[in-house]
Amino acid sequence: MLETIAYSILNGVLYGTLLFMMSSGLTLIFGMMGVLNFAHASFYMLGAYFAYTLGQATGFWVALFIAPILVGSVGAIVERYGLRRVHQFGHVPELLFTFGLAYVIEELVALFWGTVPVPYKMPDALNFTAFNLFGLDYSMFKVFILLVAVAMFVGLWVLLKKTRAGLVIQGSLSRPDMVGALGHNVPRVFMLVFAFGCALAGLGGVVGGIQFVTDPGMAFMMGPIVFVVVVLGGLGSVPGALVASLIIGILQTFFLSVNFSLAETIGTLGIEDSGFFGVLWHMEATRIAPVLPFLLLVLTLIFRPRGLFGKREA
Amino acid sequence: MTRKNKTGVFTGTMIGLTMAISSVTYADNHPIRISYIEPLSGPFANVGDAGLKHFRFTAEQINKEGGILGRNVEIVAMDNKQSPSESVQLIQRSVDQGINFVTQGNGSNVAGAMVEAVDRNNRRNADNKVLYLNYAAVDPALTNERCSFYHFRFDANSAIKLEALANYMKDQEEINKLFLINQDYSHGQFISNHMKTLIDEKDMDVEVVGDVLHPIAQVRDFAPYVARIQQSGADTVVTGNWGNDLSLLVRAIDSAGLDVDIYTYYGGGLGTPAAIGARGEDKVYQVTEWHADVNVDEGLEEYEQWFVDFKERYPEIDWYYHRVYNQMYMLKDAIEQVGNAEDVDAIAYALEGMQFESPTGTVTMRAKDHQALQPLYISVMDADAKYDADNSGVGFRTVANIPVEQATDETSCNMKRP
Amino acid sequence: MATNTAVGKPSLLKLWPWVVIPIVAIILPHIFDSGHDINLMSHMSIAIIFALSYNMLLGNTGLLSFGHAVYFGLGAYVAMHVLRMVNEAGGEGLPLELIPLVGALAGMGFGIIFGAVSVRRAGVVFAMITLGVGALVHSSSLMFTDFFGGEAGLFGDRTYAPSMFGIDYGSSVSTYYLIVAWTLVAAILIYLLKKTPLGWMANAVRDNPERAQFVGYDPTFVRFFQFVLSALFAGLAGGLHVLSDEIVNDEVVGQIQSGAVLLGTYIGGIGYFVGPIVGASIVTILESSLSTYTDAWVLYFGLLFIGIVMFAPMGIVGVIHLQYLSWKAGGWKGNTGIRLYLLLAGLVGIFGLVCVIELSYHYFRSWDPSAPFGLMGFTVDATGAMPWLVSFAIAIAGFGAMLLHAKPMLARRTGAKTEGGKA
């Protein structure tokens, strides 16, 4: 049991940090602009592909910095020439715009890079075993992901709490009208925040593409789960996103790691493995795990729509 | 109210216009046409595209040799978007265009819907029947309780592959503790159940130490599953996973440094060797009816040339579906035996029980359930293989030939014949 | 949009679309008589009911749902179970014509269950709940194989069921007529519902929930009613799906289905009753036929959608309606030529863009990009510079003329009044 808990926490934290890289940007964008960016995972995908292509020319380390900047630029263009125009029509069209954008980006990626996964591999410098826990190796690359996430959180925290730009962003999060009245160019702040959020997702893609698979389906795979994190953490709250990422990461991993079903634990009580409750009674925890985030999503929204750390409801 | 009036007219014209566009039909009857119903867009487009290249290539070869009854073979590509109901519509479209043969293989759910649709069409539409040639859907039900006279399967079904695997494992002393990890849908559930049945039946000296089902195409990180495999003390993993679910699993096992052998159905499937790479060497096994180095091992020069020609034509993929070769040439034999390509019933009867000399050995289309029986190979990833798969640097090396009598199953099919 | 612009003609005359559209629907199978076309038209009918029911939420009540397929799909599953029971009883029991009603009841039942927890808030919260419920139900459909039949799905046979009128539903034409009949009934009911106090209150709740509350109507209650009724019609569409396809599997409750109804409704125009009808028809046809002409169909689909959201948020019907109003008000006087020029320039631009996209797909996707291929009637070599230059030139010239020349010209001519864009 100790082993299981240790594994779950370690793996869960690793998974959680990756989730955080994506959800922090999304939650910033939402908190500020009220836009739930459906295409956010697409920018994550762009990060992976840009880094893969750049990496062939410049190597991984340069790509690690350039790719997120490129993704951020794409984000800025999308905001400036797409989203800003749609903004005047209201939130629903904005949401739908990003919804359509996700399809277009996926198609374009498939067009330029093909539908087969690209061989995006970790740099040799990180390709060794960092430590061994109960007989399982943990590669240096996983530790590196962890470090990147920590650096990102610290950076974000400093940016938001300690700088003037952060002050403006925080202000815009709660009172965009007031910030505008104080003479700040709110549309420009919006554009920069959108670009910045996309760049964060792109950074997630640079490392996530290696950890998982870099193919045109990766955005679709990652998309919904990031929403769950953002909603659970509280829309607009960066610390909330961090906590929610870790909770979901650990919880999901834990459910996958244990051998558990109600029937095995409590006894079958004569309940057969058929019918709605029967199947539920006999359902293995591993089979429920992937549905868990959505269950959390629905429950959170019903009972606490502002999430764990959110200041206001969506 | 006025707006409603105008848009009412508009709706009518719009419907009319778009209908007109969509109903272009083809009158040319000369070539023998086969509808290829597979995903050609969306996340599985690469798989559909690779299959299409196999069929087109084979059709070209047949045409070069003079075609069938002097007529050319033409593959009509239709995009089903991996959707069963879309596939059913495409069968209807094939019928409309007077096409008598449809082929499909990706997704047993699609295959199930197609069998139903083909049966239904042939029941209700006697002068425009369709024959369904299945080159890859392995759900045993299609040749058991749901078997159909108009369905022929050229790939070994899941039960047969597992049978072959069990017969091989029985004699391997280093295989003692099995861990089953599969996708949570009928394909994976079948493997999980049937493997245990086989172990009992054959009284194998193997213990199942773990049995996990995970949701299909949703798991991003297999590390927790790997932790379970490690804790169970398993030495061998059996999985029916395909696509990302397989490559992610293998990658996670490799990066955790876990020393287990992984027996798969689809280790050589399109894109998988590229995603796994060298880390699968001597670790990832597959059960197939053929792999590229069989040609080298058994000196099949002609077929090796076929393989090389295909590679030259489509450098980014490899000839993988040996059964497409079997399927197309068996269809050719059946049509030539009947003497026309329109009498679907007669062609189906000709295929039933047909014995075909394939490069790898005799393929028999079992009359009872329309399941092809053929020798199978168990092979392992090897960087020294003469031909690597999908330019990945790793190919496959045969570790065992499973003769056809060890690669068969019982069938409960109760075929209704016209 | 809801202003009544009737100008005192006899009111019966205004009902002519309700007569013309059914006549068109009855004649269509005689013009397009291939089995595939008839199937396609059946699917269009079903998509129309589904989209109309969706618009009861999005257009009328302002609720954006990402999981409307849940009610369509669960309705379909329950209807399929009933059809199978009838099949197994040797074709005795509920007449085939009434099986869609079973779907409607099931849709309503699940609408009550899920609606009770979803409608307390509108906006993003509601959207996210529906997304979550959609994902939960879709996953369940693969877990509870007793009811859902796993990913293979469930099959039934519509010919082994009694008919109230002694019709043989073996042919797809008679099934099509049955579906059209139900579609008409549903469309009329949904239209009438819009005119009830509930329909008006739904609009009020959409536009200003606080004010609606002050007037004495609980927004939650109004939303709940709309939600349940909308689920009922979605279930009806699901029941009809069972009749046309005779198969249900997990895709009927899936996200793609939920997404398609959203796209169709929005493309058509959510502010109009006919919007979803037009949108659903277009989306169904495009989905089924565009893919036979081009590999790039998903891209075109995405671009069309983005184009609508950006330039014509009132949908296709909305654009046409605005132009019609402007024409009727004399806004076209003296500038009809410019409007046509604008439209033409836009079409030329789109033509150029299509050429570029087709060239790209050939260049990147084909195994031999240098192989000659047919583009708009010309045979070109995608590796040469010429076709690219020409295509880009056409696209730039078209859009350039439209945005930089025609649009400002029209704006000058019509004064400062802003126009709603073009189709």
Side-chain angles (χ1 to χ4, degrees):
Chain A
M1 198 59 196
L2 181 71
E3 289 181 21
T4 310
I5 293 173
Y7 283 138
S8 303
I9 292 180
L10 199 62
N11 285 326
V13 167
L14 262 168
Y15 184 40
T17 48
L18 263 168
L19 286 180
F20 171 68
M21 289 191 207
M22 299 186 58
S23 50
S24 53
L26 184 62
T27 208
L28 267 184
I29 292 173
F30 179 84
M32 183 152 199
M33 309 169 64
V35 181
L36 204 52
N37 182 10
F38 255 85
H40 201 69
S42 307
F43 291 101
Y44 158 82
M45 171 161 73
L46 283 182
Y49 274 99
F50 285 172
Y52 162 69
T53 304
L54 270 175
Q56 289 174 329
T58 63
F60 174 77
W61 299 103
V62 179
L64 178 66
F65 290 94
I66 310 268
I69 293 175
L70 283 178
V71 176
S73 320
V74 175
I77 293 169
V78 165
E79 203 284 335
R80 175 66 187 81
Y81 296 101
L83 218 45
R84 191 175 294 182
R85 190 190 160 86
V86 183
H87 190 69
Q88 52 185 318
F89 306 137
H91 282 327
V92 168
E94 274 180 309
L95 213 161
L96 295 177
F97 173 79
T98 60
F99 187 71
L101 188 67
Y103 277 91
V104 171
I105 292 181
E106 182 177 326
E107 267 304 292
L108 290 179
V109 164
L111 173 62
F112 290 121
W113 283 283
T115 47
V116 202
V118 293
Y120 179 32
K121 296 201 173 69
M122 64 178 87
D124 290 337
L126 295 172
N127 195 0
F128 61 91
T129 303
F131 62 93
N132 184 300
L133 183 78
F134 302 119
L136 283 182
D137 293 342
Y138 278 85
S139 74
M140 193 58 207
F141 188 74
K142 290 187 173 184
V143 179
F144 174 72
I145 294 179
L146 203 67
L147 291 177
V148 172
V150 170
M152 208 172 104
F153 182 71
V154 172
L156 261 178
W157 190 79
V158 171
L159 177 79
L160 288 177
K161 297 280 176 192
K162 302 284 173 194
T163 66
R164 214 184 122 67
L167 213 61
V168 176
I169 293 175
Q170 276 200 312
S172 306
L173 279 176
S174 46
R175 281 288 161 84
D177 42 342
M178 282 301 280
V179 173
L182 288 172
H184 292 282
N185 183 352
V186 174
R188 197 164 145 255
V189 177
F190 276 12
M191 185 178 86
L192 290 177
V193 169
F194 193 87
F196 184 64
C198 290
L200 291 182
L203 179 63
V206 176
V207 291
I210 294 178
Q211 171 70 9
F212 304 137
V213 175
T214 304
D215 70 353
M218 66 191 286
F220 187 71
M221 233 178 164
M222 211 55 167
I225 200 110
V226 186
F227 280 146
V228 178
V229 169
V230 169
V231 169
L232 182 66
L235 289 159
S237 163
V238 176
L242 178 67
V243 173
S245 299
L246 294 178
I247 288 179
I248 287 181
I250 292 173
L251 205 62
Q252 204 171 356
T253 317
F254 185 72
F255 261 74
L256 293 179
S257 316
V258 291
N259 214 345
F260 172 86
S261 75
L262 289 171
E264 270 169 48
T265 319
I266 306 173
T268 54
L269 302 178
I271 301 174
E272 279 185 38
D273 190 5
S274 64
F276 181 76
F277 291 103
V279 173
L280 216 53
W281 195 256
H282 286 262
M283 186 74 65
E284 289 274 336
T286 38
R287 296 180 66 183
I288 297 175
V291 189
L292 206 64
F294 295 105
L295 205 59
L296 270 178
L297 173 76
V298 173
L299 293 179
T300 311
L301 287 169
I302 293 173
F303 296 108
R304 196 181 160 84
R306 60 198 168 100
L308 296 174
F309 290 78
K311 292 204 177 65
R312 58 192 169 121
E313 286 186 12
Chain B
M1 283 294 150
T2 36
R3 77 173 127 76
K4 203 177 63 204
N5 299 353
K6 276 299 143 189
T7 38
V9 176
F10 175 72
T11 318
T13 1
M14 199 65 201
I15 292 170
L17 266 177
T18 23
M19 285 277 125
I21 296 169
S22 69
S23 65
V24 181
T25 44
Y26 305 88
D28 183 8
N29 243 343
H30 190 65
I32 295 173
R33 285 174 300 163
I34 302 174
S35 294
Y36 174 82
I37 300 181
E38 289 287 7
L40 299 171
S41 62
F44 302 104
N46 56 340
V47 182
D49 185 56
L52 180 59
K53 286 169 177 163
H54 280 70
F55 276 97
R56 290 246 157 97
F57 183 78
T58 313
E60 265 172 46
Q61 300 293 321
I62 290 178
N63 293 344
K64 235 183 267 171
E65 297 157 10
I68 303 178
L69 300 173
R71 293 166 65 181
N72 273 347
V73 181
E74 186 192 325
I75 307 296
V76 181
M78 296 189 175
D79 181 9
N80 71 358
K81 302 157 194 132
Q82 195 58 30
S83 144
S85 61
E86 186 74 32
S87 311
V88 171
Q89 292 181 52
L90 292 177
I91 290 178
Q92 182 66 56
R93 177 173 290 184
S94 308
V95 171
D96 291 348
Q97 298 183 7
I99 298 176
N100 296 111
F101 307 99
V102 299
T103 188
Q104 180 273 347
N106 286 299
S108 287
N109 53 339
V110 177
M114 293 203 22
V115 167
E116 284 292 321
V118 165
D119 270 354
R120 201 188 296 147
N121 175 72
N122 294 353
R123 217 166 39 229
R124 294 180 190 166
N125 196 358
D127 27 311
N128 213 343
K129 291 190 175 180
V130 188
L131 201 59
Y132 168 27
L133 309 166
N134 166 4
Y135 72 95
V138 297
D139 184 0
L142 298 173
T143 45
N144 281 286
E145 62 268 24
R146 294 184 43 204
C147 65
S148 154
F149 179 70
Y150 299 101
H151 163 258
F152 288 87
R153 167 153 51 201
F154 294 84
D155 191 9
N157 74 34
S158 195
I160 292 177
K161 288 190 183 181
L162 223 46
E163 178 81 23
L165 197 57
N167 283 333
Y168 165 77
M169 284 183 167
K170 202 170 54 187
D171 304 329
Q172 304 301 312
E173 290 192 352
E174 67 278 8
I175 299 180
N176 295 311
K177 292 180 168 177
L178 276 192
F179 195 99
L180 310 176
I181 175 164
N182 286 291
Q183 294 154 324
D184 195 358
Y185 77 112
S186 65
H187 168 62
Q189 288 157 1
F190 175 82
I191 295 172
S192 150
N193 293 328
H194 198 64
M195 192 70 216
K196 287 180 239 169
T197 317
L198 285 175
I199 289 172
D200 284 346
E201 266 175 21
K202 296 186 185 294
D203 200 17
M204 289 163 70
D205 191 17
V206 171
E207 184 196 352
V208 175
V209 293
D211 177 12
V212 171
L213 294 172
H214 67 79
I216 176 170
Q218 278 181 32
V219 178
R220 291 116 188 137
D221 188 1
F222 275 90
Y225 295 101
V226 173
R228 278 185 76 166
I229 297 173
Q230 196 261 351
Q231 282 172 299
S232 72
D235 52 39
T236 304
V237 171
V238 173
T239 178
N241 284 13
W242 44 265
N244 276 349
D245 281 341
L246 179 58
S247 36
L248 285 173
L249 173 68
V250 174
R251 282 212 217 174
I253 288 176
D254 176 75
S255 79
L258 194 61
D259 184 26
V260 290
D261 288 333
I262 308 161
Y263 284 84
T264 71
Y265 278 35
Y266 300 114
L270 180 76
T272 309
I276 294 175
R279 55 190 124 197
E281 207 179 354
D282 292 325
K283 202 169 200 170
V284 175
Y285 293 72
Q286 65 167 357
V287 192
T288 50
E289 81 283 14
W290 177 86
H291 61 88
D293 272 41
V294 166
N295 291 345
V296 185
D297 302 342
E298 301 185 5
L300 309 172
E301 279 166 26
E302 234 175 278
Y303 201 41
E304 192 170 346
Q305 192 54 45
W306 176 288
F307 177 89
V308 171
D309 288 347
F310 184 82
K311 185 80 187 169
E312 210 166 278
R313 180 63 164 294
Y314 304 112
E316 71 279 21
I317 59 167
D318 281 296
W319 179 258
Y320 170 73
Y321 296 116
H322 170 54
R323 45 207 186 246
V324 170
Y325 175 95
N326 293 342
Q327 176 179 319
M328 294 287 279
Y329 278 97
M330 285 172 83
L331 178 66
K332 177 177 192 267
D333 287 359
I335 292 176
E336 283 174 350
Q337 207 175 310
V338 172
N340 73 61
E342 278 72 38
D343 188 350
V344 169
D345 284 352
I347 294 166
Y349 274 120
L351 273 173
E352 242 183 21
M354 177 184 280
Q355 298 214 328
F356 173 72
E357 289 310 316
S358 168
T360 57
T362 308
V363 179
T364 310
M365 182 54 73
R366 185 161 61 190
K368 200 173 171 216
D369 62 346
H370 297 184
Q371 167 66 52
L373 300 177
Q374 53 199 325
L376 295 181
Y377 294 86
I378 293 176
S379 52
V380 65
M381 271 194 182
D382 188 346
D384 299 330
K386 180 168 177 193
Y387 294 108
D388 65 344
D390 304 343
N391 313 319
S392 61
V394 282
F396 285 87
R397 153 173 57 91
T398 305
V399 293
N401 297 3
I402 311 293
V404 69
E405 51 279 1
Q406 290 206 23
T408 178
D409 67 338
E410 296 291 315
T411 173
S412 63
C413 171
N414 182 14
M415 185 85 70
K416 288 193 199 81
R417 293 185 170 75
Chain C
M1 307 285 167
T3 44
N4 198 330
T5 51
V7 281
K9 287 181 206 161
S11 64
L12 269 180
L13 275 182
K14 281 178 286 178
L15 293 176
W16 68 266
W18 293 103
V19 179
V20 171
I21 294 180
I23 291 174
V24 171
I26 288 167
I27 295 172
L28 273 178
H30 298 283
I31 305 169
F32 306 103
D33 55 354
S34 80
H36 177 260
D37 289 344
I38 289 167
N39 271 355
L40 185 65
M41 289 187 287
S42 296
H43 283 129
M44 265 166 61
S45 282
I46 295 166
I48 285 171
I49 306 186
F50 192 30
L52 282 173
S53 94
Y54 187 80
N55 206 34
M56 291 174 73
L57 291 181
L58 183 57
N60 299 359
T61 325
L63 293 171
L64 174 65
S65 166
F66 285 109
H68 206 50
V70 166
Y71 311 99
F72 176 88
L74 290 176
Y77 272 108
V78 173
M80 178 55 94
H81 277 292
V82 172
L83 178 63
R84 284 163 68 92
M85 274 192 289
V86 173
N87 285 168
E88 271 158 34
E92 293 294 320
L94 194 69
L96 193 78
E97 288 86 354
L98 297 182
I99 282 180
L101 267 188
V102 176
L105 288 177
M108 186 176 78
F110 286 105
I112 291 172
I113 297 172
F114 294 126
V117 297
S118 330
V119 294
R120 256 193 299 165
R121 290 170 187 81
V124 175
V125 174
F126 176 82
M128 289 289 101
I129 292 187
T130 55
L131 184 79
V133 169
L136 284 177
V137 171
H138 188 224
S139 307
S140 312
S141 74
L142 294 174
M143 280 179 191
F144 300 96
T145 46
D146 290 352
F147 180 76
F148 293 102
E151 89 288 348
L154 298 171
F155 306 93
D157 191 329
R158 63 183 178 225
T159 56
Y160 294 147
S163 160
M164 286 162 75
F165 312 107
I167 298 170
D168 171 22
Y169 287 105
S171 91
S172 36
V173 179
S174 44
T175 313
Y176 164 76
Y177 283 131
L178 176 61
I179 291 170
V180 166
W182 269 113
T183 306
L184 261 179
V185 171
I188 291 171
L189 286 177
I190 292 173
Y191 183 77
L192 292 179
L193 271 172
K194 240 185 111 171
K195 305 286 169 197
T196 60
L198 177 69
W200 295 114
M201 278 324 296
N203 287 354
V205 165
R206 171 195 67 196
D207 297 335
N208 195 333
E210 284 88 8
R211 205 178 288 173
Q213 187 136 30
F214 287 143
V215 182
Y217 291 92
D218 182 4
T220 309
F221 200 65
V222 175
R223 284 190 206 117
F224 178 70
F225 257 84
Q226 283 288 103
F227 191 89
V228 170
L229 288 172
S230 159
L232 182 145
F233 287 108
L236 178 72
L240 290 171
H241 174 83
V242 169
L243 298 194
S244 88
D245 283 26
E246 299 171 281
I247 167 186
V248 283
N249 54 21
D250 65 295
E251 65 185 293
V252 294
V253 290
Q255 274 90 350
I256 294 178
Q257 185 85 348
S258 294
V261 69
L262 165 61
L263 294 193
T265 309
Y266 199 85
I267 286 176
I270 59 171
Y272 299 85
F273 183 74
V274 280
I277 299 180
V278 174
S281 309
I282 292 176
V283 167
T284 312
I285 293 166
L286 284 187
E287 234 179 355
S288 144
S289 36
L290 203 56
S291 59
T292 55
Y293 297 105
T294 168
D295 287 345
W297 71 274
V298 181
L299 186 61
Y300 289 128
F301 219 75
L303 290 176
L304 170 72
F305 183 63
I306 288 188
I308 297 269
V309 172
M310 283 181 71
F311 302 107
M314 68 297 278
I316 291 176
V317 173
V319 169
I320 294 171
H321 179 233
L322 274 189
Q323 292 302 327
Y324 170 72
L325 283 186
S326 146
W327 171 71
K328 220 178 144 197
W332 280 31
K333 229 167 254 160
N335 59 31
T336 311
I338 302 174
R339 279 170 199 269
L340 286 179
Y341 167 46
L342 186 79
L343 182 70
L344 196 72
L347 288 178
V348 168
I350 290 171
F351 176 81
L353 188 66
V354 168
C355 289
V356 171
I357 291 174
E358 289 299 318
L359 273 172
S360 312
Y361 269 76
H362 186 77
Y363 185 79
F364 286 104
R365 285 277 177 86
S366 173
W367 62 274
D368 179 13
S370 62
F373 91 112
L375 179 70
M376 308 290 170
F378 298 93
T379 303
V380 297
D381 174 7
T383 50
M386 227 16 227
W388 290 89
L389 285 177
V390 172
S391 303
F392 269 112
I394 296 175
I396 291 169
F399 287 128
M402 176 180 138
L403 295 175
L404 302 177
H405 189 225
K407 222 179 152 199
M409 197 149 94
L410 184 64
R412 270 199 308 278
R413 197 65 68 89
T414 55
K417 202 178 73 184
T418 45
E419 271 300 332
K422 45 153 289 298

